[in-house]
Amino acid sequence: PAARRALGARPLLVVSHPDDEAMFFAPLLTACREARLRVGVLCLSTGDALGRGEERKAELLESCASLGIAPEDVTILDDEALRDGMQERWLAAAVEAAARDATRRRRATSVVTFDRGGASGHPNHKATWRGVVELARPAARRGDPPPLSVWALRTLR
């Protein structure tokens, strides 16, 4: 199937908050399930901007299960540098470090995330894209192919 050819057997979805997987990536995750890919999800925050982080973490696990993603394939970070919120500014280096760790741990064959526009324009989404792009930058500077393919959801406006 096309999903396997494009993403390989072990894609990693990197999102900013619980609910991003359903709001923006459900069609992709459904295609991955149909192609029998072992998808990992890295959620960079608990989505705790309104004090509901624990509830949102549980919802993310439930959502992922409905999309065929096992709980052991979902990582939800709770990092001071990656707090949910429209006023929170995430450094690309913090996102890159988290994504790099997850790709190595999972032996990911590709990474999927938001594009520069962040789908909804949310600053955390935009920062997620910037950090994931940094994964490929050292290889590009050397003129080498990136160590894994990076795919981005296209923002339409």
Side-chain angles (χ1 to χ4, degrees):
R4 184 173 291 277
R5 282 192 305 276
L7 301 174
R10 298 180 64 84
L12 175 69
L13 174 64
V14 180
V15 296
S16 306
H17 320 104
D19 79 9
D20 292 344
E21 80 295 339
M23 289 178 57
F24 304 110
F25 296 97
L28 171 71
L29 294 173
T30 299
C32 289
R33 180 184 63 212
E34 291 170 357
R36 298 186 179 179
L37 304 183
R38 183 158 182 200
V39 177
V41 174
L42 171 62
C43 186
L44 295 169
S45 76
T46 63
D48 199 26
L50 300 176
R52 295 179 34 226
E54 290 304 313
E55 178 184 345
R56 294 192 70 201
K57 285 168 37 177
E59 290 171 351
L60 172 63
L61 292 170
E62 185 177 328
S63 173
C64 285
S66 75
L67 293 163
I69 302 168
E72 62 268 18
D73 291 326
V74 179
T75 302
I76 305 168
L77 301 183
D78 189 3
D79 185 326
E80 286 294 324
L82 300 169
R83 289 282 167 229
D84 178 17
M86 294 297 284
Q87 304 307 314
E88 298 292 333
R89 297 295 172 239
W90 293 2
L91 297 178
V95 174
E96 177 191 9
R100 185 174 309 284
D101 179 60
T103 58
R104 287 181 178 155
R105 207 171 0 90
R106 292 195 46 76
R107 296 185 326 273
T109 53
S110 61
V111 177
V112 179
T113 195
F114 300 103
D115 72 356
R116 177 188 313 253
S120 65
H122 195 297
N124 299 161
H125 295 178
K126 292 177 178 182
T128 298
W129 174 79
R130 283 192 307 276
V132 168
V133 164
E134 290 301 316
L135 284 174
R137 200 168 302 285
R141 284 189 189 120
R142 292 189 308 269
D144 296 337
L148 53 124
S149 61
V150 176
W151 296 84
L153 177 72
R154 188 169 154 210
T155 298
L156 301 176
R157 296 196 198 230

